[in-house]
Amino acid sequence: MVWPDLFLPTMPCKWSQNGRPVGIPPAMMCFVVTKSLALTCCAPFLLMGARYFYSHKVIHSYLACALHTDMADIEEYYMKPTGSCFWVAVLEGQVVGIVAAQGREDDNTVELRRMSVDSRFRGKGIAKLLGRRVLEFAMHNNYAAVVLGTTAVKMAAHKLYESLGFRRTGGSEDYMLPGMSRSPQERLFFQIRYQRYRLQLREE
């Protein structure tokens, strides 16, 4: 499972062209507001703790949501519907990777979903083989394109998609993961970047 891109919202300090800060740095602002040196020193740790708490909460909510929807009944979601499928990669007798393809009749595309490789077996080309299997499936079923959405942080994941022929088509800086409560605290301490990719197989 790839963890989303997390960030800790802060009050950024802008810099002028001559390298001098413009505006009040966050630490100084905290001291001006609280008049407490102890609180000013503790503030970064409190913010880091809040980020960890809400990140942990959101990730577990997302996993719980996945395990109660499509991953709870793979056959019903991916094996029975026409134009969809699910594959596992097996190495040395154990499952080391998964990927799903979900057909979309409205725009004649197939969505690459749930691609994941066991961290102990990454770097062996397993993810690329899984991706190619989805592309072969799409071509065999006469889909016009393959699309995917990702919150992957590591550049390796994006390079993988591009090596398969995908091109970035857009994204969002404020994506809401399934399972998020949309509370102000979650939106403040947890944010992910969502990128969309598309591989055109043939023109409509």
Side-chain angles (χ1 to χ4, degrees):
M1 179 64 66
V2 179
W3 280 59
D5 185 11
L6 312 180
F7 89 116
L8 177 61
T10 59
M11 297 172 58
C13 181
K14 298 182 180 180
W15 297 82
S16 64
Q17 293 182 351
N18 61 9
R20 295 181 178 178
V22 177
I24 303 176
M28 186 178 296
M29 175 67 76
C30 181
F31 180 74
V32 170
V33 173
T34 65
K35 306 297 184 181
S36 170
L37 181 60
L39 186 57
T40 300
C41 294
C42 291
F45 299 100
L46 294 174
L47 291 174
M48 289 176 64
R51 182 179 70 167
Y52 176 82
F53 173 80
Y54 284 104
S55 299
H56 188 270
K57 179 175 180 289
V58 169
I59 291 297
H60 278 265
S61 296
Y62 167 71
L63 293 176
C65 181
L67 293 174
H68 284 83
T69 52
D70 60 318
M71 297 305 290
D73 195 342
I74 293 173
E75 182 177 2
E76 187 67 29
Y77 272 82
Y78 297 113
M79 304 306 293
K80 288 184 178 180
T82 303
S84 297
C85 201
F86 191 95
W87 298 268
V88 297
V90 179
L91 185 63
E92 299 175 356
Q94 60 181 316
V95 175
V96 298
I98 61 172
V99 72
Q102 188 170 47
R104 305 194 316 200
E105 295 183 358
D106 56 336
D107 57 359
N108 195 30
T109 64
V110 63
E111 182 181 3
L112 186 155
R113 306 192 67 202
R114 302 302 185 193
M115 180 185 281
S116 180
V117 175
D118 189 319
S119 59
R120 297 170 297 175
F121 296 90
R122 291 175 186 170
K124 299 180 181 294
I126 297 173
K128 180 169 284 190
L129 289 174
L130 289 170
R132 285 175 177 168
R133 181 56 59 91
V134 174
L135 301 187
E136 293 169 358
F137 174 82
M139 290 186 287
H140 179 74
N141 288 275
N142 296 315
Y143 283 104
V146 181
V147 298
L148 66 88
T150 180
T151 57
V153 179
K154 296 181 179 179
M155 286 303 300
H158 297 276
K159 289 181 179 179
L160 167 66
Y161 301 137
E162 291 170 358
S163 71
L164 289 169
F166 286 90
R167 295 293 176 264
R168 193 173 303 180
T169 58
S172 171
E173 295 292 326
D174 191 25
Y175 180 68
M176 301 295 293
L177 276 176
M180 288 185 68
S181 67
R182 298 177 180 269
S183 68
Q185 293 86 353
E186 286 185 359
R187 296 179 66 87
L188 176 64
F189 291 106
F190 184 93
Q191 188 179 63
I192 57 175
R193 298 182 182 91
Y194 179 80
Q195 300 290 343
R196 294 189 298 273
Y197 284 86
R198 182 183 182 94
L199 172 56
Q200 196 70 33
L201 299 175
R202 61 182 177 82
E203 296 298 329
E204 289 288 355

